[in-house]
Amino acid sequence: MTTITVERIRANLAEVRARIAAAAASAGRSTEEVRLVAVTKYVDAATTRLVVEAACADLGESRPQQLWDKAATLADCEIRWHMIGHLQRNKIRRTIPLVHLLHAGDSLRLLEELNGERAATADTAPLSILLEVNVSGDAAKHGFAPQEVPGLLDALSKLPRLEIRGLMAMAGLEDDLATARRRFAEVRELRDSLRTAWVGRFQLDELSMGMSGDYEAAIAEGATLVRIGSALFEGADGA
Ligand SMILES: *Cc1c(COP(=O)(O)O)cnc(C)c1O
């Protein structure tokens, strides 16, 4: 069990935000283009509440069960939940009413089931989702191969209850920072070419890439959503 104070979280958040601003500035981008998603998967609901109190409303979880539990415990907070991990099909129904953005659209089968579930509910808004691209080729990672994505348009056009907002990716486990940055550039280039090819269908404004170890490189390459966990909880006892 880790303990951390709200002051510590606030200081960590301020530091991360300053680094985001600096990375955006050196890329000639505006800070407002980059949204921080605080990944709270390492901490309990009480600590997650401190993150919200420290003025961060975009929270990410990678396991559906944890997201459900925290969404229930923190129902009094204004939170935009981001589901950032693989979503098993039997967890779809309980998860999607809670989420603001689903980052890990990682297979056509999942997308089809999500579309079907959304169509079966009274929720008229399409579900916002990102396509996860396995840009490092790691066998253990989920997601579409980069070369597979352009061919998805026909299949996606049959899923009217999904709004594809962009792409999500992770650097490889073994990547150094220079390699990570090249991966992020590859994802941005893929997004840019899709934006042209899919014009009038999907906006593809979002690029979810960058974690505690590589978010500045991701921002340099166009990230609009950075998913940051461990950097926010530094200085916790037992962390
Ligand atoms: C855990 C996790 C993160 C956050 O990682 P940190 O290195 O702790 O910042 C980001 N994205 C995904 C998909 C994760 O599972």
Side-chain angles (χ1 to χ4, degrees):
M1 188 58 230
T2 61
T3 56
I4 188 165
T5 61
V6 69
E7 288 75 21
R8 184 76 240 171
I9 292 173
R10 231 180 235 127
N12 289 346
L13 261 174
E15 153 113 27
V16 167
R17 288 215 169 100
R19 287 175 57 179
I20 289 173
S26 41
R29 306 179 58 206
S30 142
T31 308
E32 287 75 58
E33 291 173 35
V34 185
R35 199 160 20 136
L36 167 64
V37 177
V39 176
T40 50
K41 67 186 183 189
Y42 310 107
V43 299
D44 62 12
T47 304
T48 301
R49 183 181 291 278
L50 299 183
V51 176
V52 180
E53 282 171 11
C56 186
D58 285 280
L59 302 187
E61 285 287 335
S62 60
R63 289 166 188 270
Q65 179 80 51
Q66 278 199 41
L67 193 151
W68 304 342
D69 293 349
K70 286 181 183 167
T73 310
L74 304 173
D76 58 310
C77 299
E78 292 278 333
I79 296 171
R80 285 187 295 266
W81 285 108
H82 296 251
M83 177 64 204
I84 63 172
H86 175 65
L87 183 58
Q88 300 87 339
R89 280 175 287 115
N90 63 352
K91 308 248 165 76
I92 288 175
R93 183 158 300 166
R94 269 190 79 175
T95 305
I96 62 174
L98 303 172
V99 301
H100 167 72
L101 179 64
L102 220 148
H103 290 233
D106 56 16
S107 75
L108 202 48
R109 178 133 185 233
L110 174 68
L111 296 174
E112 286 166 353
E113 300 232 0
L114 288 164
N115 182 72
E117 178 62 30
R118 194 61 155 194
T121 64
D123 217 328
T124 50
L127 179 69
S128 289
I129 186 165
L130 307 178
L131 301 178
E132 181 173 355
V133 182
N134 184 355
V135 73
S136 68
D138 287 357
K141 287 222 164 82
H142 294 279
F144 296 99
Q147 63 274 17
E148 202 181 351
V149 181
L152 293 175
L153 181 60
D154 280 350
L156 296 176
S157 298
K158 299 188 184 99
L159 308 176
R161 311 311 305 276
L162 304 185
E163 180 63 32
I164 312 293
R165 306 287 309 275
L167 304 180
M168 181 271 212
M170 277 178 271
L173 286 174
E174 312 277 307
D175 288 353
D176 59 19
L177 211 45
T179 310
R181 181 160 174 178
R182 265 192 285 113
R183 309 260 197 229
F184 297 143
E186 195 188 320
V187 178
R188 175 181 36 83
E189 284 156 16
L190 173 61
R191 189 281 307 268
D192 291 348
S193 73
L194 292 172
R195 207 143 56 171
T196 308
W198 295 2
V199 68
R201 312 297 278 278
F202 300 112
Q203 295 255 296
L204 305 178
D205 289 330
E206 304 285 2
L207 280 176
S208 170
M209 49 190 200
M211 312 182 6
S212 292
D214 57 19
Y215 65 94
E216 286 148 309
I219 291 167
E221 296 300 342
T224 62
L225 292 155
V226 289
R227 309 176 310 269
I228 298 181
S230 34
L232 301 179
F233 302 105
E234 272 164 23
D237 297 337

